[in-house]
Amino acid sequence: MRAPRSVLKQQFLKKWMMGLQVFGSAKQSMSILERKKAIKLSADIALAATRDGRTCWSRAIIADASKDDGGKVLVQHLLSPESERLKKACTGLVMDNKRVRCKKILKRSCCIKRIRKGASKVALAKSISKRIVKRRTQVLKSLVPGGEFMDDISLIEETLDYMVSLRAQVDVMRRSLAKATEVVNGK
Amino acid sequence: MINRALLPAGGGENMLHCTDMTVLERQRARIKWQQEQQQQQFQLQQQEISYFTELADVFHQAGFHEGGLSEVVTRSVKPDPGLVDNGWNNDHVVGYGVGLPYNNGLGFELNYGAISRTSSCPPEAVAAVAAATVKGSESVVSDKISSGAGRESSKKRKVDKIQNNSKVVAEEDTRDKRIKGCAEQGESKITEKNNNKNSRNNNTNKNNNSNKENSDETSKDNSKVSEVQKPDYIHVRARRGQATDSHSLAERVRREKISERMKYLQDLVPGCDKITGKAGMLDEIINYVQSLQRQVEFLSMKLAAANPRLDFNVDNLFAKEQAFPACSINFPTIGMSSDMTNPAYLQFNPAQQQLLACCGLDMGIDPPDMALKRTTSAPVSIPETFLDSSCFTQTHPPPTWDADLQNLYNVAFDQGRQTSFQTQPFTGSIEASNLKMEM
């Protein structure tokens, strides 16, 4: 019996290798940067694929990857064994953007009034801290893929999940690097 | 230890005032600590045995008996739909490919295996204890436990972290216990509200499910963990002396939800146990996610350099399967901190030359690689993971259970200074890494 975390890692590893094989068969010689991009792209898509479309960030990654051709091939390769509806779910993300923008305009118009009313020190400090929190939430939204479309609560949940998967990804990549360097050094 | 004096009270701004010298010192201390880690493994093995016997004694004193424990065990192995049905938890728990029931059974088995290997305790008793800890089923056991439920859960958590071989079971269980703990807290909050005389009953109709709802249900079923239906709305009572209109109530619910989630994040992000407040936490989270993303970039670059033809042999897969049980929690954080504190490492690793042009973080990767090789070649041993998880717990225990955990540590080890020695360079390096990130 395996712990859930290593199950995740093994799934990720498998899918990553699958994705890399796509590249391996494609070109003979690639520059180092192209290789790096290929590795990273397949790693990201593999990571998103392990979530099976249940989390927003994974759908966002897949949606972004499907936009250009190279990614599309990978996506189809990695996801075709699984459901078709997953791919459709990923493409539907773009529509949420408009709704979010309208919300933002509304909020901003309300907020301006509130800030001016805060005369006391406490209220001032509160408004400052609120601004800081808001700014940092914005940054976090830009970090987490697909974060702009989420409200605060789901943003934090997505961040949680994303962090865990990132950690697994880093771990797997580091191990495979160690293995690869071992092999190279052994030769 | 030097680092203790330099640990900032909290907040990212304080770290900016630390000098490079302290970073260097921290690095040296961390190296020393890493070396001592090896030596202390053996010592800890001895202590672990004594710890387990003590823990078993503690639980026996609490009034458990074999029959009750086995009952707990059987109940704990049953799936817990209450938690699985919770919308959010479902995503994450099942997302790990396993889900709670699997986790429980797994934890049980892991603990059983772990204990039988290292301790001389009667395996059944300790395994039952461990299983009870994995499930964290305070509600299942009798009323006398419920009073000390917080304490118990902290102990269980402690045992959990020591015995588990893999990071995720620990994390999963912390989160599960968080869920249970929050359910508990939610229940106590709601009962508190119910006792207030100046409260009015306000029903807010919402379609989302929350932990509070489940706690309502589960608190009623004290005898067993039963199925929970998804109600359509939440009953929220206004607390005494607070506004009772629906807007502020909804706001308060939302705020509580956010703070709940923040607590989970605090467990995940290393070095966040001292930080309270949304702004600081968000800062740490941002730094951590950024560092992880950068690591991915860096690693993929290195992999591209190492493999001229993108041919990864499939042996990796099988090697990983064996290596994963030995994976320690230290790796990501050590790697992260070493990546970030690269300049200090330049002194220690003058050898590496490759990829220097491409990325300046090249040097940073070697210590974690060395650490990786050292531990993957070492036999899969419990003391190692125990050590790692103990370091992990030292830095990441939730603030509410700090005192209890500290007590336990002091009970288990002769002097707390051993673990605290390990913690300080650890947290010191993490602080240093955050420092680097800010700069």
Side-chain angles (χ1 to χ4, degrees):
Chain A
M1 270 220 255
R2 302 239 173 254
R5 178 51 56 81
S6 54
V7 166
L8 167 70
K9 282 184 187 164
Q10 281 166 29
Q11 273 183 8
F12 165 66
L13 184 64
K14 240 189 280 177
K15 299 197 174 174
W16 187 29
M17 292 298 141
M18 266 170 51
L20 281 177
Q21 280 167 10
V22 170
F23 282 104
S25 56
K27 290 184 192 173
Q28 291 311 310
S29 61
M30 297 201 283
S31 79
I32 187 170
L33 282 174
E34 284 179 24
R35 267 180 288 155
K36 174 230 174 189
K37 266 191 222 166
I39 290 176
K40 181 159 191 293
L41 184 64
S42 45
D44 287 340
I45 297 183
L47 193 68
T50 60
R51 280 287 178 255
D52 286 336
R54 262 170 307 207
T55 53
C56 193
W57 63 267
S58 57
R59 289 196 292 265
I61 289 184
I62 295 178
D64 280 338
S66 314
K67 280 182 199 161
D68 55 287
D69 301 325
K72 233 181 196 171
V73 174
L74 263 182
V75 169
Q76 280 166 2
H77 189 86
L78 285 176
L79 288 182
S80 54
E82 286 131 39
S83 55
E84 280 291 323
R85 62 149 182 92
L86 175 61
K87 292 182 217 164
K88 287 181 194 162
C90 301
T91 51
L93 260 179
V94 190
M95 305 313 291
D96 295 339
N97 207 358
K98 290 188 184 167
R99 212 192 319 152
V100 173
R101 249 182 280 157
C102 295
K103 260 195 198 172
K104 281 187 187 168
I105 295 173
L106 247 172
K107 269 191 188 173
R108 208 162 281 172
S109 61
C110 293
C111 273
I112 293 177
K113 280 189 208 166
R114 282 189 211 159
I115 291 177
R116 286 187 191 154
K117 277 183 187 171
S120 64
K121 279 186 186 173
V122 175
L124 193 63
K126 274 188 189 171
S127 67
I128 289 178
S129 69
K130 272 193 199 162
R131 233 178 291 164
I132 293 181
V133 168
K134 220 177 265 186
R135 214 174 291 155
R136 293 195 178 154
T137 335
Q138 289 294 323
V139 175
L140 188 60
K141 281 185 181 176
S142 69
L143 278 183
V144 176
E148 300 90 14
F149 310 135
M150 300 184 242
D151 58 327
D152 270 355
I153 299 178
S154 34
L155 177 68
I156 298 185
E157 293 172 9
E158 294 287 324
T159 315
L160 263 175
D161 199 58
Y162 184 55
M163 267 208 301
V164 168
S165 329
L166 266 185
R167 259 212 266 207
Q169 187 184 20
V170 165
D171 206 18
V172 169
M173 286 178 87
R174 184 173 289 139
R175 283 165 189 275
S176 58
L177 178 68
K179 268 282 160 185
T181 47
E182 250 184 49
V183 168
V184 165
N185 291 340
K187 282 180 188 172
Chain B
M1 236 2 253
I2 312 162
N3 293 324
R4 185 174 273 217
L6 296 172
L7 275 179
E13 286 76 27
N14 291 341
M15 299 180 214
L16 287 173
H17 300 306
C18 294
T19 62
D20 286 343
M21 244 274 286
T22 62
V23 170
L24 258 173
E25 284 173 357
R26 282 188 201 134
Q27 290 318 303
R28 282 192 205 127
R30 228 169 49 71
I31 298 266
K32 255 190 260 171
W33 164 67
Q34 275 177 0
Q35 290 163 359
E36 299 206 24
Q37 218 182 359
Q38 300 291 313
Q39 301 165 5
Q40 278 160 4
Q41 278 176 18
F42 298 101
Q43 292 178 16
L44 279 165
Q45 202 172 11
Q46 313 296 325
Q47 287 162 353
E48 199 188 44
I49 296 174
S50 61
Y51 175 81
F52 280 143
T53 49
E54 272 195 76
L55 198 62
D57 289 343
V58 165
F59 272 90
H60 281 300
Q61 284 166 16
F64 282 76
H65 58 297
E66 295 277 342
L69 278 178
S70 57
E71 194 184 44
V72 162
V73 166
T74 51
R75 290 228 177 103
S76 68
V77 173
K78 206 169 60 167
D80 183 5
L83 286 177
V84 173
D85 279 345
N86 189 347
W88 175 63
N89 289 326
N90 196 13
D91 287 342
H92 295 280
V93 169
V94 180
Y96 292 122
V98 189
L100 262 176
Y102 191 69
N103 196 11
N104 285 335
L106 167 72
F108 175 75
E109 296 225 356
L110 266 185
N111 292 340
Y112 187 81
I115 296 164
S116 61
R117 250 184 286 172
T118 57
S119 75
S120 51
C121 301
E124 298 148 10
V126 188
V129 165
T133 73
V134 170
K135 181 58 183 174
S137 46
E138 302 92 340
S139 57
V140 177
V141 195
S142 56
D143 299 325
K144 52 183 169 178
I145 309 300
S146 59
S147 57
R151 210 168 25 95
E152 293 292 349
S153 58
S154 72
K155 283 182 193 160
K156 291 167 190 172
R157 244 179 123 253
K158 179 73 171 49
V159 175
D160 222 4
K161 289 206 166 168
I162 289 168
Q163 293 163 355
N164 283 328
N165 288 340
S166 61
K167 172 171 71 170
V168 72
V169 184
E171 278 183 2
E172 269 297 285
D173 289 329
T174 58
R175 286 182 56 203
D176 298 345
K177 288 196 183 63
R178 275 287 175 192
I179 296 165
K180 282 278 186 182
C182 289
E184 240 189 9
Q185 291 169 18
E187 167 204 351
S188 57
K189 246 188 243 171
I190 290 175
T191 50
E192 183 193 304
K193 285 180 201 168
N194 285 336
N195 289 338
N196 287 335
K197 288 185 181 171
N198 288 355
S199 62
R200 253 183 261 155
N201 194 5
N202 286 325
N203 297 338
T204 50
N205 286 332
K206 291 187 184 171
N207 285 331
N208 23 341
N209 211 359
S210 79
N211 284 339
K212 263 192 215 168
E213 299 180 37
N214 284 339
S215 73
D216 269 332
E217 308 279 333
T218 52
S219 64
K220 284 171 194 163
D221 300 331
N222 271 335
S223 54
K224 59 179 175 181
V225 182
S226 63
E227 295 88 323
V228 172
Q229 272 94 29
K230 263 193 188 183
D232 288 330
Y233 52 88
I234 316 173
H235 282 279
V236 181
R237 277 187 190 252
R239 283 187 230 167
R240 179 177 174 150
Q242 297 218 352
T244 55
D245 56 323
S246 59
H247 285 296
S248 47
L249 273 178
E251 253 188 60
R252 195 171 353 119
V253 167
R254 174 182 168 273
R255 258 182 280 142
E256 280 165 357
K257 272 194 207 169
I258 289 185
S259 56
E260 253 182 66
R261 314 279 195 260
M262 284 289 203
K263 277 191 223 160
Y264 294 131
L265 277 173
Q266 230 176 1
D267 288 341
L268 264 186
V269 179
C272 271
D273 42 345
K274 297 195 167 57
I275 298 178
T276 54
K278 259 197 257 182
M281 271 304 304
L282 276 175
D283 203 33
E284 294 295 321
I285 292 166
I286 288 173
N287 285 342
Y288 190 54
V289 170
Q290 271 177 344
S291 78
L292 282 176
Q293 284 176 339
R294 262 182 241 164
Q295 269 190 307
V296 168
E297 295 259 348
F298 172 63
L299 279 172
S300 58
M301 175 63 94
K302 258 222 146 178
L303 272 168
N307 282 44
R309 278 173 308 122
L310 275 191
D311 53 352
F312 295 91
N313 40 357
V314 194
D315 311 345
N316 277 345
L317 279 170
F318 302 113
K320 297 267 159 75
E321 284 187 24
Q322 297 157 10
F324 276 143
C327 88
S328 78
I329 304 167
N330 273 341
F331 289 146
T333 42
I334 286 183
M336 168 182 80
S337 42
S338 64
D339 276 345
M340 294 305 129
T341 54
N342 154 55
Y345 271 117
L346 279 170
Q347 301 183 22
F348 299 113
N349 295 307
Q352 283 290 332
Q353 289 302 322
Q354 41 175 312
L355 281 191
L356 209 50
C358 296
C359 30
L361 292 176
D362 183 53
M363 306 250 174
I365 201 71
D366 290 330
D369 275 347
M370 278 172 12
L372 184 86
K373 284 172 191 166
R374 240 188 297 149
T375 41
T376 47
S377 56
V380 177
S381 58
I382 300 306
E384 186 178 74
T385 51
F386 168 72
L387 173 67
D388 296 335
S389 53
S390 73
C391 294
F392 192 68
T393 33
Q394 273 298 64
T395 46
H396 317 316
T400 52
W401 296 334
D402 242 347
D404 300 311
L405 286 175
Q406 287 300 321
N407 289 339
L408 282 173
Y409 270 118
N410 292 333
V411 161
F413 304 120
D414 296 337
Q415 303 94 11
R417 63 176 158 82
Q418 269 187 336
T419 45
S420 52
F421 172 75
Q422 292 155 10
T423 323
Q424 283 148 29
F426 204 59
T427 46
S429 58
I430 291 169
E431 305 291 357
S433 74
N434 290 333
L435 163 66
K436 282 291 170 180
M437 298 225 52
E438 303 228 19
M439 301 205 293

